[in-house]
Amino acid sequence: MAALKYAGMDDTDSEDELPPGWEERSTKDGWVYYANHDEMKTQWEHPKTGKKKRCAGDLPYGWEQEIDEKGQMIYVDHINKRTTYFDPRQAFTVEDVLVKPKRYDGNTSALEILQGRDFSDRVVLITGSNSGIGFETARSFALHGAHVILACRNLSRASKAVSLIQQEWHKARIEAMMCNLASLRSVREFAESFKAKKLPLHMLVCNAAVCTQPWSLTEDGLESTFQICHLGHFLLVQCLQDVLRRSAPARVVVVSSESHRFTDLLDSCGKVDLALLSPSKNDYWSMLAYNRAKLCNILFSNELHRRLSPHGVTSNAVHPGNMMYTSIHRSWWLMTFLFTLARPFTKSMQQGAATTVYCAVAPELEGLGGMYFNNCFRCLPSMQAQDQSSAASLWELSERLVSERSVGIQAL
């Protein structure tokens, strides 16, 4: 204690509080060091505790490091329009030890999961991302530096979504591209346009869906709910699988639903039945069609992971959350009315996007796939969704359907 007093270190209230004359600084890559202005020296160890520290994570979204006219490093907060010499990461310094993964739940938002992380070297493609969960997924990644592609049917709405995000952060790298999953021709054209950009693809989120649609056939002669929710995404992944493999490690996230539990896809021989997936008008019930499509999503994700994981591409399926107020049910007035009544008790879109984002970025899921997540936790889907033979049967059927409507599609 006498030595501390002699050194001027006994008049601080906290073990981590710096003695007079000392200042905490950080390097560009986040390591903390200490400067003594009286003795004009620096050191890595805390002058009182002797511990080394580093900043936890990257700069918060919207922040950038720049050099001022005097050659000093400054930190610019583009969101709140302010500049400081203080590294904002120093608010989250940790000792130089391994940090355990955080635990998330149904109340977690997508932005919380991405807090402090920099994805400026990542390209993310999200279908159906001009509104709802898809928009919040795109917004969250764009605000953390990723190059985000909105693959949407309505290019006008997608462009408005791009503008909203760029108004929030003018340096957001985000663009809209036309992709109508109800048209296999449109999916192929989109894939070719994307490949022409010569971009990698690190995260592909199959988010687009329709629910409670009146019966209709697509231009490819298939029931629209089945094609938009499943077959269009199946073809999209087939067309982009070479890009995903070159970009490995890459991840695919397929947005499914707990409603997959309330249906079946098999005929009397145990094979996936096209008559159930793409029924006639007389056999069609919109909610059942949606349930079947969501079961297809999980089977597709499982089989995709089995086929592509040896090449560094993983796939997981997610349920975004129960009773969320989105526009997906806009075609059925009763469902819209019920969701309006329940809206005060539902998840927000940011919370709905959390599980998708978690599966796309969680370090603990690196190399892992073929799983189903709800509220950022792994859970077991229905027995049929776990059935490998059903997954293989659906894959074969889907492959046949797209090949009958095209020439030269590369098989996985």
Side-chain angles (χ1 to χ4, degrees), residues 93-243:
T93 55
V94 296
E95 291 183 30
D96 186 19
V97 296
L98 291 176
V99 180
K100 292 183 179 180
K102 291 182 179 179
R103 301 292 290 180
Y104 303 107
D105 56 29
N107 294 317
T108 305
S109 71
L111 287 171
E112 286 179 75
I113 291 174
L114 298 181
Q115 174 65 45
R117 300 189 63 180
D118 178 15
F119 293 94
S120 55
D121 61 344
R122 293 289 183 267
V123 177
V124 185
L125 170 59
I126 308 166
T127 65
S129 42
N130 62 280
S131 64
I133 297 169
F135 172 79
E136 288 300 331
T137 303
R139 171 176 169 263
S140 299
F141 277 117
L143 293 178
H144 285 81
H147 183 169
V148 181
I149 311 273
L150 309 186
C152 301
R153 175 183 60 84
N154 189 317
L155 200 55
S156 175
R157 290 180 181 174
S159 298
K160 290 179 181 178
V162 168
S163 297
L164 284 174
I165 294 171
Q166 289 180 332
Q167 286 172 22
E168 190 168 355
W169 187 31
H170 72 285
K171 289 192 175 183
R173 295 181 299 155
I174 186 165
E175 59 182 301
M177 295 179 66
M178 170 69 176
C179 182
N180 182 5
L181 295 169
S183 165
L184 299 183
R185 172 185 52 79
S186 175
V187 174
R188 294 187 186 100
E189 290 174 352
F190 167 82
E192 291 305 312
S193 297
F194 179 84
K195 289 180 178 180
K197 293 178 177 290
K198 305 297 183 183
L199 291 171
L201 181 56
H202 304 101
M203 305 172 210
L204 170 56
V205 179
C206 299
N207 169 80
V210 291
C211 180
T212 63
Q213 291 275 100
W215 182 87
S216 66
L217 294 179
T218 67
E219 65 181 48
D220 301 294
L222 297 167
E223 193 278 314
S224 59
T225 303
F226 166 66
Q227 180 164 330
I228 294 169
C229 292
H230 166 66
L231 196 65
H233 285 126
F234 175 86
L235 177 59
L236 179 64
V237 174
Q238 272 205 331
C239 292
L240 297 179
Q241 58 117 352
D242 54 334
V243 184

Side-chain angles (χ1 to χ4, degrees), residues 230-264:
H230 166 66
L231 196 65
H233 285 126
F234 175 86
L235 177 59
L236 179 64
V237 174
Q238 272 205 331
C239 292
L240 297 179
Q241 58 117 352
D242 54 334
V243 184
L244 287 164
R245 288 168 64 164
R246 286 198 304 268
S247 308
R251 301 190 191 188
V252 178
V253 181
V254 184
V255 179
S256 180
S257 169
E258 278 291 278
S259 66
H260 81 274
R261 300 183 187 277
F262 310 114
T263 190
D264 191 15

